[in-house]
Amino acid sequence: MQNRKLTVQNKKLALSVTALAIGAAGTFGVVSANAAAPAAPATSAVKADAGDRNLTTSTHLTVAAATKAAQAALDAAAKEHQKVSVAVVDRNGNTLVTLRGDGAGPQSPESAERKAYTAVSWNAPTSDLAKRLAQTPGLKDIPGTLFLAGGAPVQAKGAPVAGVGVAGAPSGDLDEKFAQAGVAALTK
């Protein structure tokens, strides 16, 4: 009776192992077949119309130009023995370059980015925008902005293409003076 139980259990075990092996082989075969099959081209891709009526073109500052502006602002601050950070953002507010000057405070890189973002967003120096807070105090609640002097827009054909922000000098007026030096470097 004992042998018969073992034989039945051995048969069940053998069937289970066989079923697992077949399942694994089938799964592996499907994975292998899927891995080997070339991807089918997308048939639902949307194509722009022939006249490009659905597309826009925008002007963006190059990384080289952004670096030139940032370095010019940092150099202007260094000439006046100021320890600052400088940031340059593109038209969409994405950071292109951030330079933290030797000895600049730990908060200055983020402040510089936020000033640059604010300047390009409103196409105005942040010192002008800071004055608007008296009439519209809710402006300060807009995420990513900083309404303190030290940000300057970079324009091409009257439209904003970038922003330069400086933070870390003892006054916003100095920060903005250095940001303007960065913008001026782009016209040379």
Side-chain angles (χ1 to χ4, degrees):
M1 178 95 169
Q2 186 79 1
N3 283 341
R4 185 170 179 184
K5 278 188 179 179
L6 286 177
T7 305
V8 170
Q9 286 177 344
N10 286 343
K11 285 182 182 178
K12 286 183 182 178
L13 181 61
L15 286 173
S16 296
V17 170
T18 303
L20 286 173
I22 290 170
T27 301
F28 180 73
V30 169
V31 171
S32 296
N34 285 340
T43 57
S44 63
V46 177
K47 296 180 182 176
D49 61 287
D52 290 335
R53 292 175 298 207
N54 297 325
L55 304 176
T56 63
T57 302
S58 61
T59 304
H60 290 270
L61 200 63
T62 65
V63 172
T67 303
K68 179 180 179 180
Q71 189 62 57
L74 196 61
D75 291 346
K79 284 181 185 173
E80 296 192 28
H81 308 290
Q82 297 301 315
K83 299 172 181 178
V84 301
S85 289
V86 180
V88 180
V89 300
D90 69 9
R91 173 63 190 110
N92 299 320
N94 300 308
T95 304
L96 293 170
V97 176
T98 302
L99 298 177
R100 183 174 179 266
D102 294 334
Q107 79 291 348
S108 63
E110 182 180 346
S111 296
E113 285 182 19
R114 290 176 60 195
K115 289 178 181 183
Y117 175 83
T118 305
V120 74
S121 295
W122 274 272
N123 193 24
T126 55
S127 59
D128 292 349
L129 297 169
K131 295 171 190 171
R132 294 184 195 177
L133 285 178
Q135 293 88 10
T136 317
L139 285 176
K140 68 180 176 8
D141 298 328
I142 297 172
T145 59
L146 186 58
F147 291 89
L148 297 174
V154 177
Q155 297 178 354
K157 299 176 186 173
V161 295
V164 178
V166 177
S171 75
D173 292 340
L174 283 174
D175 284 341
E176 197 152 313
K177 175 182 174 182
F178 305 142
Q180 292 292 352
V183 173
L186 297 173
T187 61
K188 296 177 183 178

